[in-house]
Amino acid sequence: VGKLPLSKVTAKRVIDYMAHRREKGMAPATCNNERSVLSKILSIAVDWDLLRPDANPMRKVPKFEALNQKNRWLTPEEQCALIGAASGHVRDTIILALGTGARRGEALALRWESVDLERAEVSFTADTTKSGKTRTIPANDAVLAMLKARLAGRREQGRFISNVFTYRGKPIKSIHAGFRTACAAAGLGRDVTFHTLRHTFCTRFGHAGGNIRDLQALAGHADISTTQRYYHRSDSAARILGTMAHDLAAPGRKAPTAG
């Protein structure tokens, strides 16, 4: 809407804006929240006699059907398809997120000084985590192999940059376009986001019988109630997931550390 006068805000303008946001990759829930904020602003304008009641267009603006992304996680087949469809740094960040539960920002901000290949650990530092606390995650075989390959490639290029994920010598700021391309190639819809990878990590940990307190530390949740939203235990699901590759299952080499 920008500097558009309130009287010029029409239902069509709002609908077009919301459609534009969805095309840019915003989740339906995010678009709906923005709609709610604008609706509240216009309602206040009506209360303050800055806008006629019949000039408030928000009742004509439908909400997006919210996709149930909170409960979305990848099956082993979907996971293999996504990794196979991705390449380069997009594939590698997917492997990292599936193996460590990293958020997108944490993954892209990962630096080599936070990687310990000998101890098979990856640390997400306080300046990059949502909680503002450092957490250290055991790296499974898939994550270790990916990191070693990236490190070897960096050395072959004769230059070294602190960030693990770089493109043409510069730290990567976004992988949205590449991730969406990989999802499309893997036959995955808009309900799959980068956060789905984190949810997959947490869900697999629960299916594997991991302790919920360990998962809380691994995921960096301040409140156990947040962890419970991810922690799905199911005998039937566990049997299905028993066919998945072990190196992409929940890590279990040593206890997680946080703080």
Side-chain angles (χ1 to χ4, degrees):
V1 177
K3 297 181 180 180
L4 192 71
L6 293 180
S7 60
K8 299 294 184 180
V9 177
T10 64
K12 184 180 184 305
R13 286 182 184 274
V14 178
I15 291 172
D16 288 346
Y17 169 78
M18 292 176 65
H20 173 73
R21 294 285 281 165
R22 283 294 288 128
E23 290 174 359
K24 291 294 185 180
M26 293 299 103
T30 300
C31 294
N32 289 338
N33 287 340
E34 292 179 344
R35 175 194 177 279
S36 296
V37 171
L38 180 57
S39 180
K40 183 64 176 178
I41 291 173
L42 293 175
S43 294
I44 292 174
V46 170
D47 292 341
W48 290 357
D49 296 325
L50 299 175
L51 194 66
R52 300 192 320 273
D54 60 351
N56 188 341
M58 297 309 294
R59 66 182 182 277
K60 300 178 182 178
V61 179
K63 292 183 178 180
F64 279 117
E65 181 180 354
L67 300 173
N68 193 13
Q69 295 175 327
K70 289 186 177 180
N71 291 325
R72 182 68 165 97
W73 52 278
L74 300 181
T75 66
E77 293 78 14
E78 289 175 328
Q79 177 176 291
C80 290
L82 180 59
I83 293 174
S87 61
H89 59 267
V90 175
R91 179 197 60 227
D92 290 350
T93 53
I94 289 172
I95 290 173
L96 180 71
L98 286 169
T100 65
R103 298 177 178 90
R104 178 175 52 189
E106 295 168 346
L108 294 181
L110 182 65
R111 297 182 291 270
W112 284 112
E113 54 262 36
S114 300
V115 173
D116 191 329
L117 295 177
E118 291 187 2
R119 298 183 62 180
E121 292 179 342
V122 175
S123 295
F124 301 107
T125 54
D127 60 317
T128 66
T129 62
K130 185 176 180 180
S131 66
K133 296 181 179 179
T134 296
R135 68 180 191 278
T136 300
I137 314 294
N140 62 28
D141 292 342
V143 172
L144 278 177
M146 177 273 293
L147 290 171
K148 289 178 180 178
R150 291 197 71 83
L151 184 59
R154 195 63 42 79
R155 287 171 174 166
E156 288 177 3
Q157 295 173 8
R159 54 186 175 184
F160 188 87
I161 299 176
S162 179
N163 291 68
V164 172
F165 298 109
T166 61
Y167 181 68
R168 294 182 178 178
K170 296 182 179 180
I172 294 170
K173 299 298 183 182
S174 173
I175 61 166
H176 174 73
F179 183 78
R180 291 262 51 95
T181 299
C183 285
L188 302 176
R190 286 279 179 178
D191 59 327
V192 174
T193 66
F194 196 88
H195 195 75
T196 304
L197 309 181
R198 176 173 165 84
H199 197 169
T200 300
F201 166 84
C202 295
T203 301
R204 295 277 172 81
F205 190 88
H207 285 155
N211 183 278
I212 192 169
R213 288 294 180 181
D214 286 344
L215 179 57
Q216 181 185 13
L218 285 166
H221 294 148
D223 193 326
I224 193 69
S225 64
T226 304
T227 311
Q228 290 171 336
R229 295 205 300 265
Y230 292 89
Y231 194 74
H232 312 299
R233 296 295 298 274
S234 167
D235 291 339
S236 61
R239 285 196 297 271
I240 293 173
L241 292 174
T243 63
M244 66 183 289
H246 179 267
D247 63 357
L248 286 177
R253 297 183 178 183
K254 58 187 77 174
T257 60

